[in-house]
Structure formats: structure tokens, C-alpha cells
Amino acid sequence: MGSKSTTKRADALRSIEAIVQAATECLGRNPDASLSEIARAAGVGRVTLYAHFTSRAEVVDAAMSRALDRGNEVLDAVDLTGDPLLALERYIDAGWHLVDQAQALLTAAQRELPAGRIRELHAGPAARVEALVARGRAEGAFRTDLPLAWLVNVLQAVMHSATEEIRAGRLNPDRAAEHITATALAAFTPPGTPVPEPRSGA
């Protein structure tokens, strides 16, 4: 009996994994991807999908969580120590790719999930940027006349805008990190201080 139960549980976990992976990929290409399309991509039937997820919102939530977990793994490897300006450039160089990859998925999440849930899912990346900006402010590299949360929001908004410009054909992806960095440095530099040139070559 225990063996059958274990096998059923293993089968269920494989189905859930396949569904979440398929949702991440399908919604990452098309935020309007249907549950039927996601089920087909996962190699399961709609009945199986609904056995594990009761709504489209739950599927989108799971996919967004997966994408952000993987993004956090990438950002965990980015060196954010040392000169805050160089650390910011390294963060942007790694982070904007993640934003670009998840743009369609975020669109799906914004349609299906409450704003509070989206903020909760982004808490990890937001905390990482907040810590970097706070350190830069303490060391005199970043401005202190604007709220910390506002500066973090500005950086996130610029990265999202860059992905939209790429899709519109107005920005070369190879220049995106450079443009984002130049804009962020201009926004973060203390008033009256010359805006530094990007230095990492990223």
C-alpha cells in the first residue's frame, strides 16, 4: 500500500513539475497562452492540470514563482560588494536579462494576480537592490534626497522600459545594459555631482 502511495505521489510531483515548467515557457512566449496549451506542452490532460491547480491564476503564480526563484539563483552569483557604482553595473548587466526573459510572464501575472501578490513575489530581488542602493547612499555614491524605495522603483522601471523598447525595435539588445546603466547612474548621482561614466565595460 505504501509503495502505491509513494508511486502516486511521485507521479503527481512529476506532473506538477511538468505543468509549471510548461507554464513558464508558454507564458514566457505569450501571456495569453491558454491552460489547454500549457497542458499540451506539459504532456498532461486538462483534468490532470485542474487536479493540481484550481485556476489559471494558480498556474500563473507557480510559473512566476519559478522564474523569480531561478532569477534569484542567477543574482546570488553576482558580486555586489566593493564600489557601489561597479556593483550597480554588475547587477544591471545580469538583472536586465532576467527582466527581459520574464516580461511576458509578468504581463500574465499582472492580469491574473493582485498587485500585493506580485510585490510579494518580487520581494527577493527588491531587497537585493534596496541593500545595494542603501549602501551606496551611506558611502556617498548615491543621492539621499529622494526616498530609497523611489530609487529602487526607478531602476526597475528603466529595466522594464528597456525590454519594451527592444520589442518595439527601438533598442539594440546589445546596448541595453549600457543604456540602463547610464540612465541609472544619472538618476542615482547626488545633485551637483558630475555623473560618472559606466566603468565596468559590461
Side-chain angles (χ1 to χ4, degrees):
M1 189 72 175
S3 177
K4 285 185 179 179
S5 177
T6 300
T7 300
K8 287 183 68 175
R9 179 63 180 157
D11 287 345
L13 289 174
R14 278 194 293 272
S15 292
I16 292 170
E17 172 65 23
I19 292 166
V20 175
Q21 180 63 33
T24 304
E25 293 172 359
C26 291
L27 294 169
R29 291 191 298 269
N30 174 18
D32 296 317
S34 68
L35 291 183
S36 294
E37 182 182 340
I38 291 168
R40 283 196 302 273
V44 304
R46 281 175 61 90
V47 172
T48 299
L49 186 149
Y50 278 112
H52 301 299
F53 299 94
T54 61
S55 66
R56 178 181 173 81
E58 284 191 7
V59 174
V60 172
D61 192 303
M64 195 73 197
S65 296
R66 164 70 62 83
L68 286 167
D69 285 345
R70 289 183 173 174
N72 275 320
E73 290 175 5
V74 172
L75 294 176
D76 282 342
V78 178
D79 179 14
L80 297 183
T81 63
D83 183 339
L85 296 174
L86 289 175
L88 178 65
E89 291 186 42
R90 289 191 292 268
Y91 176 87
I92 290 171
D93 193 47
W96 92 264
H97 290 286
L98 300 173
V99 172
D100 186 47
Q101 292 163 10
Q103 189 71 10
L105 186 52
L106 177 60
T107 298
Q110 290 170 331
R111 293 174 182 171
E112 298 286 343
L113 306 177
R117 177 57 179 158
I118 294 176
R119 284 194 299 272
E120 182 181 336
L121 288 169
H122 282 85
R128 184 181 276 102
V129 181
E130 285 175 5
L132 171 58
V133 177
R135 183 170 69 81
R137 284 156 61 107
E139 295 178 15
F142 301 149
R143 66 193 306 159
T144 58
D145 61 320
L146 294 175
L148 173 61
W150 174 255
L151 293 178
V152 172
N153 184 64
V154 165
L155 177 58
Q156 293 173 334
V158 171
M159 288 199 285
H160 283 289
S161 292
T163 68
E164 292 170 2
E165 289 295 288
I166 289 170
R167 281 162 176 70
R170 293 189 291 264
L171 176 61
N172 184 331
D174 293 337
R175 303 292 302 277
E178 175 189 336
H179 282 49
I180 296 166
T181 298
T183 304
L185 290 176
F188 285 19
T189 299
T193 304
V195 176
E197 293 285 337
R199 291 180 285 172
S200 68

